[in-house]
Amino acid sequence: MNVQTAVSRYSAEFDLPVRGDPITADRYISKHWMDLEIKNLWPKVWHLGGVLAEFEEAGDIVRHNFAKESVIMVRQEDGSIRAFYNSCPHRGNRLILDEVTSVPRIACGYHNWKFDLDGTLAQVQDPDDFANGNPCGKVHLSELRCDTWGPFVFWCMDDDVAPLAEWLTPFPERLKGYGIENWVRVLKLSADCEFNWKIIRDNFNESYHLPTIHPELATFINDGLPDTVFEMYPSGHNAMWMKGHQATTRVDYHTTEVPAPLDDVARAWDIDPADFSGRTGDLRQAIIDAKRRLGPGRGFTNYDSMSDQQLVDYFHCTLFPNLTLTMSPEQLQVLRTEPHPTDPEKCVFQHWCFYPPVAGMKTVATPIGDVPLRHDAVQRHSVYGDGVSVGYVADQDLSIGTSQQQGLNSRGFKGCILPLQEKRVQRFHELLNDYVRGPGDA
Ligand code: FES
Ligand SMILES: [Fe+2]
């Protein structure tokens, strides 16, 4: 009997071997590791930089500061979006200092060189004062690759990395039914955190922490091992399907009354929860049926293209190395950690929430409460621990980050000991090792 599949429910089709590389503390605390990641990892992956809704007009710019780097994405006259390093070719000054702006030309604040939106130098002071002649038309901003998928804009520093659509495999196909192209980013939250970026990556690559860190989810999401399916893809990305609209099988909710908040959800879909007393697990299918019957009439036009699983379940997509897309039937959460510019024991956490546009719907229930259904209705940056929420489940995940970072600094910590269900954590670190330990960098 294969104990691993019996316990951990890795999908046979999407299981991959791991080597058992040690996962020791140095990768979370050392500057050497951080420098290797800057050199060998971050240039080799696609980065989510913004959303299409931020680029309505030519000259609209979104700046993405990443560690010590800064990238600007610029909407062109022809509607395309191009990405440039945010560094002036004259003497290196950072060009765009706002996170979001709109300009007719990109101007440097130091000596006022001006660039067309396509990055071509268009105007300089004293153009005749250059040994090789006027540099205008000859000098360009350094450009990066830029591409889009769904509502997202991505950039990449390396020309040899696979094209974005290939890099994202299998998610464009697997998420197609949700129709996320026109979903609206309602929340754009971020926070400075006192732990390494990988601490939250590990957290998102396992559900072992749910009973302790998110106990209230037990009556709504079935995190029982026999029912949760883990997948690992050759692309390096992972996923986890959890049955939603169903209580956990770790606790006997299934022969009782329908627990809260599942009872309210049932009523919202015209189902009497009392009809499911003693067989609460059956409610999930009843909600699928009700959504099929009632959803389109309530404005959920994307239900017709969604699978039964997508109508009720939670699909957690962890993209290597640092991006998570958590799909629930009517909400897409982008959860990400990015490294601090200089300190391996700090990071920036970002949480964006998207919702499908539904005719007549004015507000949506978000992880920080009810919020108007419009682009970036709530935007804020905070310092974790100052009492400002980054979303109630995310707050719980972040709550463990600082104490884990502290514990990892102990001389007594000898390396992670992982149960089988944390195989995706193991695989993440082995893939990371392959990137980071380039030739001569061991
Ligand atoms: S550094 Fe930009 S114009 Fe001088
Ligand atoms: Fe969590």
Side-chain angles (χ1 to χ4, degrees):
M1 181 183 185
N2 184 334
V3 173
Q4 187 162 304
T5 51
V7 176
S8 298
R9 306 299 295 174
Y10 278 89
S11 157
E13 195 184 348
F14 297 110
D15 195 6
L16 291 167
V18 290
R19 302 183 294 248
D21 296 5
I23 306 171
T24 50
D26 50 345
R27 68 187 53 220
Y28 299 97
I29 63 180
S30 90
K31 184 73 166 56
H32 176 62
W33 250 92
M34 180 181 200
D35 290 343
L36 290 177
E37 289 171 354
I38 293 287
K39 178 182 171 194
N40 294 331
L41 172 68
W42 298 119
K44 302 287 186 184
V45 299
W46 283 93
H47 297 263
L48 173 57
V51 294
L52 285 169
E54 298 175 292
F55 299 92
E56 289 186 325
E57 308 280 346
D60 287 355
I61 293 179
V62 174
R63 186 203 63 184
H64 181 186
N65 286 354
F66 178 90
K68 283 186 179 175
E69 193 54 87
S70 182
V71 170
I72 54 172
M73 291 149 281
V74 184
R75 160 104 182 211
Q76 305 293 299
E77 299 286 354
D78 66 3
S80 64
I81 300 170
R82 292 170 72 169
F84 305 98
Y85 288 99
N86 190 10
S87 176
C88 180
H90 175 218
R91 279 174 42 210
N93 187 39
R94 200 166 266 191
L95 294 161
I96 298 293
L97 304 182
D98 295 326
E99 201 167 321
V100 180
T101 189
S102 189
V103 296
R105 271 181 173 171
I106 299 163
C108 180
Y110 196 174
H111 310 92
N112 203 26
W113 282 25
K114 289 193 170 79
F115 303 84
D116 286 334
L117 299 178
D118 68 359
T120 306
L121 181 61
Q123 188 181 323
V124 298
Q125 180 179 313
D126 302 331
D128 301 332
D129 192 32
F130 291 83
N132 295 322
N134 185 345
C136 292
K138 300 177 199 145
V139 171
H140 302 270
L141 299 180
S142 291
E143 187 164 3
L144 307 77
R145 297 166 75 190
C146 188
D147 205 347
T148 66
W149 166 61
F152 306 120
V153 181
F154 286 81
W155 54 264
C156 178
M157 296 186 239
D158 191 299
D159 289 341
D160 295 329
V161 172
L164 179 64
E166 188 182 326
W167 168 265
L168 292 166
T169 303
F171 295 119
E173 186 60 35
R174 296 289 290 278
L175 303 188
K176 201 187 249 173
Y178 292 98
I180 59 175
E181 294 76 15
N182 65 348
W183 287 28
V184 181
R185 185 175 68 184
V186 168
L187 300 186
K188 185 182 179 214
L189 313 176
S190 57
D192 295 326
C193 299
E194 305 246 325
F195 47 82
N196 182 273
W197 67 275
K198 293 184 288 293
I199 281 187
I200 288 296
R201 297 316 300 160
D202 295 345
N203 176 284
F204 290 159
N205 264 322
E206 49 94 353
S207 56
Y208 197 42
H209 68 279
L210 263 63
T212 39
I213 305 298
H214 313 298
E216 78 288 350
L217 298 182
T219 56
F220 195 75
I221 298 177
N222 186 352
D223 67 341
L225 266 192
D227 300 288
T228 302
V229 176
F230 304 119
E231 297 183 350
M232 295 186 286
Y233 310 114
S235 58
H237 310 317
N238 298 323
M240 173 172 70
W241 278 103
M242 304 182 96
K243 286 184 180 169
H245 297 71
Q246 187 173 89
T248 182
T249 42
R250 286 185 295 99
V251 179
D252 183 21
Y253 289 112
H254 288 245
T255 58
T256 63
E257 302 293 309
V258 174
L262 215 42
D263 54 351
D264 279 342
V265 175
R267 287 184 201 100
W269 289 103
D270 296 354
I271 296 168
D272 183 353
D275 292 345
F276 291 84
S277 184
R279 56 184 191 99
T280 63
D282 294 344
L283 186 55
R284 176 176 171 274
Q285 182 60 48
I287 289 179
I288 293 172
D289 297 341
K291 283 187 164 184
R292 289 255 175 261
R293 196 172 63 251
L294 303 173
R298 295 185 180 185
F300 291 98
T301 53
N302 55 334
Y303 280 3
D304 283 342
S305 60
M306 289 168 66
S307 68
D308 284 358
Q309 278 185 316
Q310 290 171 340
L311 282 178
V312 285
D313 290 348
Y314 291 79
F315 188 36
H316 303 265
C317 314
T318 44
L319 284 75
F320 185 83
N322 67 329
L323 179 64
T324 289
L325 306 178
T326 291
M327 300 299 314
S328 47
E330 294 91 21
Q331 177 181 262
L332 158 59
Q333 297 183 71
V334 171
L335 300 138
R336 175 166 69 174
T337 47
E338 294 189 325
H340 183 274
T342 56
D343 190 339
E345 301 201 63
K346 294 181 178 175
C347 71
V348 180
F349 175 78
Q350 296 155 342
H351 187 189
W352 300 350
C353 285
F354 296 71
Y355 298 87
V358 174
M361 189 176 284
K362 296 275 192 295
T363 61
V364 281
T366 78
I368 61 167
D370 287 351
V371 170
L373 177 51
R374 61 176 158 77
H375 176 67
D376 288 356
V378 176
Q379 298 182 65
R380 66 190 186 207
H381 181 79
S382 56
V383 174
Y384 182 72
D386 66 2
V388 178
S389 175
V390 289
Y392 82 96
V393 174
D395 287 341
Q396 293 170 330
D397 286 319
L398 265 55
S399 73
I400 211 68
T402 305
S403 62
Q404 187 181 356
Q405 186 73 33
Q406 290 165 341
L408 286 166
N409 273 280
S410 169
R411 291 170 67 93
F413 178 72
K414 306 295 187 197
C416 300
I417 302 167
L418 305 181
L420 294 168
Q421 64 180 284
E422 291 186 317
K423 190 178 181 185
R424 290 178 300 139
V425 176
Q426 182 71 30
R427 176 164 156 73
F428 164 78
H429 285 284
E430 295 186 358
L431 205 52
L432 183 66
N433 287 345
D434 293 345
Y435 272 85
V436 164
R437 292 179 180 148
D441 287 326

